[in-house]
């Protein structure tokens, strides 16, 4: 039976500035931590960078035409902080602001609502030189940056998303160091967690202070979709520990105004949390109109009970998150995507249902969901540009996960939108260009956009339901 989504449901696609824009040396943009990280030998799988990416900085009119053809009513894009505040003096770069105003106006003219992510990992390198997210001042500077954007963009923005996946920024950037800036220090990772939380609060305050309480503010979290392998106490405790350090460190401060005290207890090997100051939690907990959830796959865990093995794991920086000594993540099962991730859409439904019970009345939005596969281009004279990509596995993934969202809505969950990741194949961080998530393909040599079957299927779902 077909499920028809509500008429006011938000349908969109998402991208991120460093992954698609290119033009890293143009119009006064300063280096970001990703520019520096890409220059480190071996940091990026294919030795590439976001220097050109999808050239969306210049090709955004073409990509907005794609949005119209897809039939989406919203576009989730991010702002490159190094374009807006390129120097440590804090002065706003007018050319950077003007570029995004042109993009926002073009989206509005096309009838597409801009959902703007204010931070999607491209921290200015000059701030990292001063300690990055492990330094409290970065959160304060972020507040100033958001204030400047709110003043400049005003009503052009439909929804202001303070952060994208602070879990990745903190733990992959400062925990195991597989993302920029490449630091491996659990103490700094936990400091980064708190300062990202603080940045969220300061960003929300900046938007509301500048534009009024009616301005829509959200945050996007990649909550760990963790499943205990059994009902044993050890396995349940493993899930609890994972959730504590991956989820509660963000949900608690942002939505409840407190850290679970157990977080402090299990991380004493790494920090005393003295970087938390009076009134920080009051600042962090700000009204949000929507909670964004990014979901790709689940992780099944079992408990580790051998004391010697726990001790070995305690300082194993192969794990991004600290204090996971009692957690054993099991190998994923079933057909895996090109990222090596499993496919378990029911866990998305369960996550959404759980969040709705915990935070009644809070709108939820799936702000990223997608899958990478090895694509092949087929010549087809009937397709736009004479080429098409048949991607049945991505189509199946899309079908199953949007159906999972429909199941959540039928269960009474206020899911108000869905954004496919991604509009375009793009620079996939430490994997470079070796992984393709787009529902529109990109020929990186020519920058030609190539429709995939998944794009046609997504358009059909938007029009007809699932």
């Amino acid at each position: 039976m077909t499920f028809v989504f509500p008429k006011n449901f938000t349908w969109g696609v998402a991208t991120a500035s460093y992954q698609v824009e290119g033009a890293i040396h143009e119009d006064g943009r300063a280096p970001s931590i990703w520019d520096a990280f890409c220059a480190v030998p071996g940091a990026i799988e294919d030795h590439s960078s976001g220097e050109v990416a999808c050239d969306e900085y210049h090709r955004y009119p073409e990509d907005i035409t794609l949005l119209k053809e897809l039939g989406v009513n919203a576009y989730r894009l991010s702002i490159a902080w190094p374009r807006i505040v390129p120097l440590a003096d804090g002065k706003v770069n007018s050319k950077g602001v003007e570029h995004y105003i042109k993009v926002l106006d073009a989206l509005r003219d096309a009838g597409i609502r801009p959902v703007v992510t204010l931070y999607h990992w491209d921290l200015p390198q000059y701030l990292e030189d001063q300690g990055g997210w492990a330094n409290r001042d970065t959160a304060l500077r972020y507040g100033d940056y958001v204030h400047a954007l709110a003043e400049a963009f005003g009503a052009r923005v439909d929804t202001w998303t303070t952060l994208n996946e602070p879990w990745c920024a903190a733990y992959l950037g400062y925990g195991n160091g597989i993302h920029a800036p490449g630091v491996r220090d659990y103490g700094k990772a936990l400091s980064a967690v708190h300062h990202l939380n603080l940045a969220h609060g300061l960003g929300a305050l900046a938007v509301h202070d500048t534009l009024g309480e009616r301005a829509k503010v959200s945050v996007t979290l990649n909550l760990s979709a963790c499943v205990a392998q059994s009902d044993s106490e050890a396995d349940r405790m493993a899930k609890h520990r994972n959730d504590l350090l991956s989820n509660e460190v963000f949900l608690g401060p942002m939505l409840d105004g407190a850290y679970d005290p157990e977080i402090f207890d299990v991380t004493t090997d790494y920090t005393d949390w003295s970087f938390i100051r009076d009134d920080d939690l009051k600042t962090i907990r700000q009204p949000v109109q929507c909670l964004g959830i990014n979901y790709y796959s689940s992780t099944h865990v079992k408990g580790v009970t051998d004391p010697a093995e726990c001790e070995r794991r305690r300082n194993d920086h192969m794990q991004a998150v600290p204090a996971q000594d009692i957690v054993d993540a099991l190998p994923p099962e079933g057909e895996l995507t090109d990222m090596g991730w499993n496919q378990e859409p029911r866990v998305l439904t369960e996550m959404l249902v759980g969040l709705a019970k915990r935070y009644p009345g809070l709108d939820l939005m799936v702000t990223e969901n997608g899958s990478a596969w090895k694509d092949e281009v087929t010549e087809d004279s009937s397709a736009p540009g004479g080429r098409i990509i048949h991607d049945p596995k991505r189509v199946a993934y899309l079908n199953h996960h949007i159906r999972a969202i429909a199941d959540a809505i039928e269960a009474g969950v206020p899911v108000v939108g869905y954004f496919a990741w991604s509009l375009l194949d793009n620079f996939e961080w430490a994997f470079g260009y070796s992984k393709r998530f787009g529902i529109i393909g990109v020929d990186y040599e020519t920058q030609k956009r190539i429709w995939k079957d998944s794009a046609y299927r997504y358009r059909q779902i938007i029009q007809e339901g699932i």
Side-chain angles (χ1 to χ4, degrees):
M1 182 176 179
T2 300
F3 178 86
V4 179
F5 286 81
K7 288 185 178 180
N8 62 347
F9 193 81
T10 295
W11 291 106
V13 288
T15 62
S17 50
Y18 193 75
Q19 293 182 272
V20 298
E21 282 183 353
I24 65 172
H25 303 297
E26 293 189 36
D27 292 339
R29 179 191 177 278
S32 76
I33 56 174
W34 275 94
D35 297 310
F37 191 64
C38 289
V40 176
I44 308 301
E45 183 176 291
D46 61 3
H47 315 290
S48 64
S49 74
E51 182 173 6
V52 176
C54 305
D55 194 32
E56 197 182 65
Y57 191 79
H58 303 108
R59 296 174 185 267
Y60 72 85
E62 173 188 351
D63 291 337
I64 291 174
T65 298
L66 288 175
L67 299 176
K68 291 180 66 176
E69 292 172 352
L70 281 168
V72 299
N73 53 32
Y75 179 46
R76 181 171 175 252
L77 70 155
S78 76
I79 308 299
W81 189 349
R83 292 196 190 279
I84 304 301
V85 188
L87 299 174
D89 62 11
K91 292 181 180 177
V92 173
N93 174 28
S94 61
K95 289 185 177 180
V97 170
E98 288 164 5
H99 168 76
Y100 289 113
I101 286 177
K102 288 189 293 184
V103 174
L104 296 172
D105 286 346
L107 287 167
R108 287 288 190 177
D109 290 345
I112 296 166
R113 302 196 306 272
V115 175
V116 173
T117 302
L118 298 165
Y119 182 71
H120 198 132
W121 309 352
D122 43 359
L123 185 72
Q125 180 60 37
Y126 63 78
L127 287 177
E128 181 56 37
D129 292 341
Q130 299 168 14
W133 286 111
N135 180 0
R136 182 184 184 86
D137 186 61
T138 297
L140 306 181
R141 300 291 289 272
Y142 171 85
D144 296 338
Y145 153 73
V146 176
H147 179 78
L149 291 183
E151 283 194 330
F153 297 165
R156 292 179 173 90
V157 172
D158 179 83
T159 302
W160 301 81
T161 302
T162 55
L163 305 172
N164 177 79
E165 298 186 351
W167 183 98
C168 293
Y171 290 135
L172 300 184
Y174 297 87
N176 65 3
I178 66 169
H179 276 193
V183 175
R184 300 177 68 184
D185 183 320
Y186 285 147
K188 288 183 178 180
L190 293 168
S191 181
V193 164
H194 179 68
H195 295 139
L196 283 156
N197 283 331
L198 182 60
H200 159 73
L202 292 170
L205 278 170
V207 171
H208 285 142
D209 287 350
T210 306
L211 301 175
E213 293 303 314
R214 297 188 65 174
K216 290 189 288 185
V217 172
S218 70
V219 63
T220 281
L221 304 177
N222 59 319
L223 297 177
S224 175
C226 184
V227 180
Q229 187 67 4
S230 78
D231 197 41
S232 72
E233 182 179 2
D235 291 0
R236 287 187 285 107
M237 286 303 298
K239 171 178 166 50
H240 173 71
R241 178 68 64 84
N242 175 85
D243 291 350
L244 198 68
L245 272 296
S246 291
N247 298 346
E248 295 307 317
V249 287
F250 300 111
L251 289 172
M254 290 183 182
L255 299 181
D256 302 323
Y259 286 103
D260 186 322
E262 189 179 350
I263 292 171
F264 305 144
D265 293 340
V266 300
T267 57
T268 55
D269 285 352
Y270 315 111
T271 181
D272 61 4
W273 294 83
S274 59
F275 41 77
I276 299 177
R277 298 189 185 177
D278 292 345
D279 295 329
D280 274 3
L281 288 160
K282 181 179 178 182
T283 299
I284 292 167
R285 188 188 187 190
Q286 296 299 321
V288 293
Q289 284 64 51
C290 183
L291 174 62
I293 299 298
N294 291 355
Y295 178 87
Y296 293 91
S297 64
S298 64
T299 301
H300 288 244
V301 299
K302 68 177 182 179
V304 178
T305 56
D306 177 61
E309 178 62 12
C310 289
E311 181 62 30
R312 186 192 70 78
R313 289 167 173 265
R314 191 161 287 122
N315 290 294
D316 178 8
H317 279 272
M318 292 300 291
Q319 297 189 80
V321 181
Q324 300 300 289
D325 47 293
I326 64 170
V327 183
D328 185 16
L330 300 174
E333 296 182 349
E335 184 177 31
L336 307 183
T337 71
D338 195 35
M339 293 291 289
W341 297 344
N342 74 352
Q343 301 177 72
E344 199 167 19
R346 70 169 179 85
V347 176
L348 172 58
T349 305
E350 293 167 1
M351 178 185 289
L352 294 169
V353 170
L355 286 167
K357 288 180 180 178
R358 179 172 176 178
Y359 300 109
L362 177 61
D363 285 346
L364 304 176
M365 187 175 289
V366 177
T367 39
E368 286 182 26
N369 175 243
S371 57
W373 302 95
K374 294 190 183 301
D375 294 330
E376 293 185 8
V377 179
T378 300
E379 300 298 320
D380 185 339
S381 59
S382 66
R387 293 185 293 174
I388 191 169
I389 294 170
H390 298 301
D391 57 341
K393 293 181 178 182
R394 189 177 288 107
V395 169
Y397 181 99
L398 190 70
N399 285 336
H400 294 150
H401 286 79
I402 294 179
R403 179 67 246 184
I405 294 166
D407 291 344
I409 294 173
E410 288 182 319
V413 178
V415 185
V416 298
Y418 174 86
F419 288 79
W421 183 270
S422 172
L423 171 64
L424 303 169
D425 292 336
N426 54 47
F427 177 78
E428 185 50 42
W429 307 113
F431 292 98
Y433 297 97
S434 67
K435 308 297 182 185
R436 292 180 177 264
F437 275 92
I439 59 172
I440 300 289
V442 177
D443 180 334
Y444 294 118
E445 291 186 5
T446 65
Q447 291 296 341
K448 295 290 186 183
R449 278 46 171 158
I450 307 166
W451 279 68
K452 302 183 186 182
D453 286 344
S454 54
Y456 289 112
R457 175 57 181 148
Y458 189 38
R459 182 168 67 182
Q460 183 182 30
I461 291 171
I462 294 169
Q463 294 171 347
E464 301 174 7
I466 189 75

